[in-house]
DNA sequence: CCAAACTGGTTTCATTTGTAACCATCGAAA
DNA sequence: TTTCGATGGTTACAAATGAAACCAGTTTGG
C-alpha cells in the first residue's frame, strides 16, 4: 500500500497558524516598536480601553489569555503607571483595573493605527474576498467550539 | 470628538490569531500527547516525511521556522534516533537529514491522524463555507506578501 | 593566492511562556 | 460557626523562544 504523505503547505492548521503568525507579527510592530509592549500587554490595554474597567479574570476571558499572562501584563502596565488597581468593596480578592490618563492616551494613540492596519490589509482584497474571509473565519470558529 | 474604540473581538489580527491558536493547540495533542513532540519537532518530522531528505536550511524555509528552532528540533529527533545526518560530499557545511526507520514509522502513524483531524474539522462546514475558508485564506496570504 | 564577505548550522543569553503550586478570600453546607 | 471546596490572583520553576554572537567552511574580488 502506498505510504500516505501529508502536504504541510496545504494542511489547514499549518496554513492558518502561519497566516495568523505573519499578520500578528506585522501588527505587533505597532505596539512593540512604538511602546515596547508585549502582546499580552497590548491586549490588556485594548481590553481596558474598550471596557473602561475590568477585573483580571474578565480580561483573561475577553482576550483569551491565561491568568498568569494577565497577571504579568497588569503588573507591567501598573509599573508604567498606565493603569491602577482598585480593590472591590465586597470581595477583597477582586481588583478592578482602570487605565490612567497616560494609559488612556496611549490607547487613544494606538487605536487609529490598529484600525488603519486592518483597513489597509482588507483594502488589498476584493469585496468578494473580504466576504470570504468573514464567512470562512466565522464558520471555522463555529465549527470549533 | 468621540474617542475611538477598538472592538478586540472583531479585530482581524486578533480573531485570526485566536482561531489559529485554538486549532493548533487542539491539533498539537496528536503529536504532543502521543509522542511528546514539540511543534518544531513535528514540523521537522513532517517535512522530512514529505520530502525524504532535506538540509536544515531547506526545512526552515519549507516550514517557516527560525534556524535555531530547526537546529534544536533536529538535535532532539536525532537523540531519539528518528533521523540521521549525512554530510554533503561537496560542501562540508551542509548536512542532509533523513528519517530512520523509526522516524518514518512515527510519521506514517501520524499522517492519517493529521488528515483525519483536518477532515473532521472541515466536515463540520458546509460546502460553501469550505470554499469561503479556502478563498479567504488564499486571499489573505496573497495580500500579505 | 589571499583577504573579506557570505552561508550552514550551533550555542549562549535574556525573555516569554505554561504548569503547577501557592496564598488569601469567599460561599455553602453541616 | 467551622470546615471544605471553589475562586481571584501571584509566584516559582521548567521549558520554549528569539536575537545575536559564534565557528566552520566556501565563495568572490582583487
Amino acid at each position: 500500500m502506498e505510504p500516505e504523505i501529508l502536504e504541510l503547505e496545504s494542511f489547514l492548521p499549518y496554513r492558518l497558524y502561519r497566516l495568523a503568525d505573519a499578520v500578528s507579527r506585522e501588527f505587533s510592530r505597532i505596539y512593540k516598536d512604538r511602546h515596547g509592549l508585549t502582546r499580552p500587554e497590548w491586549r490588556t490595554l485594548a481590553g481596558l480601553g474598550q471596557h473602561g474597567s475590568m477585573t483580571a479574570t474578565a480580561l483573561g476571558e475577553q482576550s483569551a489569555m491565561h491568568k498568569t499572562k494577565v497577571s504579568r501584563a497588569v503588573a507591567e502596565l501598573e509599573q508604567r503607571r498606565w493603569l491602577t488597581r482598585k480593590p472591590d468593596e465586597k470581595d477583597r480578592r477582586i481588583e478592578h483595573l482602570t487605565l490612567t490618563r497616560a494609559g488612556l492616551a496611549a490607547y487613544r494613540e494606538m487605536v487609529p493605527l490598529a484600525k488603519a492596519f486592518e483597513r489597509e490589509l482588507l483594502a488589498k482584497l476584493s469585496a468578494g474576498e473580504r466576504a470570504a474571509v468573514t464567512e470562512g473565519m466565522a464558520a471555522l470558529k463555529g465549527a470549533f467550539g
Side-chain angles (χ1 to χ4, degrees), chain A residues 65-105:
Chain A
M65 296 191 289
H66 190 78
K67 59 205 264 192
T68 60
K69 271 192 192 169
V70 175
S71 176
R72 293 188 257 240
V74 167
E76 167 61 26
L77 293 189
E78 187 186 27
Q79 283 276 7
R80 293 186 184 222
R81 306 191 189 287
W82 280 15
L83 64 76
T84 55
R85 313 178 192 234
K86 263 177 260 172
D88 185 278
E89 299 288 320
K90 316 259 173 175
D91 187 339
R92 276 180 296 169
R93 291 170 304 180
I94 297 177
E95 295 173 329
H96 297 280
L97 308 165
T98 318
L99 292 183
T100 60
R101 193 168 297 276
L104 209 46

Side-chain angles (χ1 to χ4, degrees), chain A residues 1-51:
Chain A
M1 175 176 172
E2 192 71 12
E4 272 205 284
I5 286 196
L6 179 74
E7 213 175 311
L8 196 58
E9 300 84 350
S10 53
F11 185 53
L12 184 61
Y14 173 71
R15 281 194 305 160
L16 200 52
Y17 189 89
R18 201 150 158 26
L19 186 58
D21 193 57
V23 170
S24 187
R25 198 177 293 273
E26 183 65 23
F27 175 64
S28 79
R29 297 158 55 103
I30 289 178
Y31 53 78
K32 187 167 288 176
D33 290 359
R34 226 175 160 72
H35 293 290
L37 295 178
T38 63
R39 182 163 44 219
E41 284 155 19
W42 149 249
R43 285 192 185 171
T44 298
L45 186 69
L48 294 180
Q50 179 180 349
H51 289 114

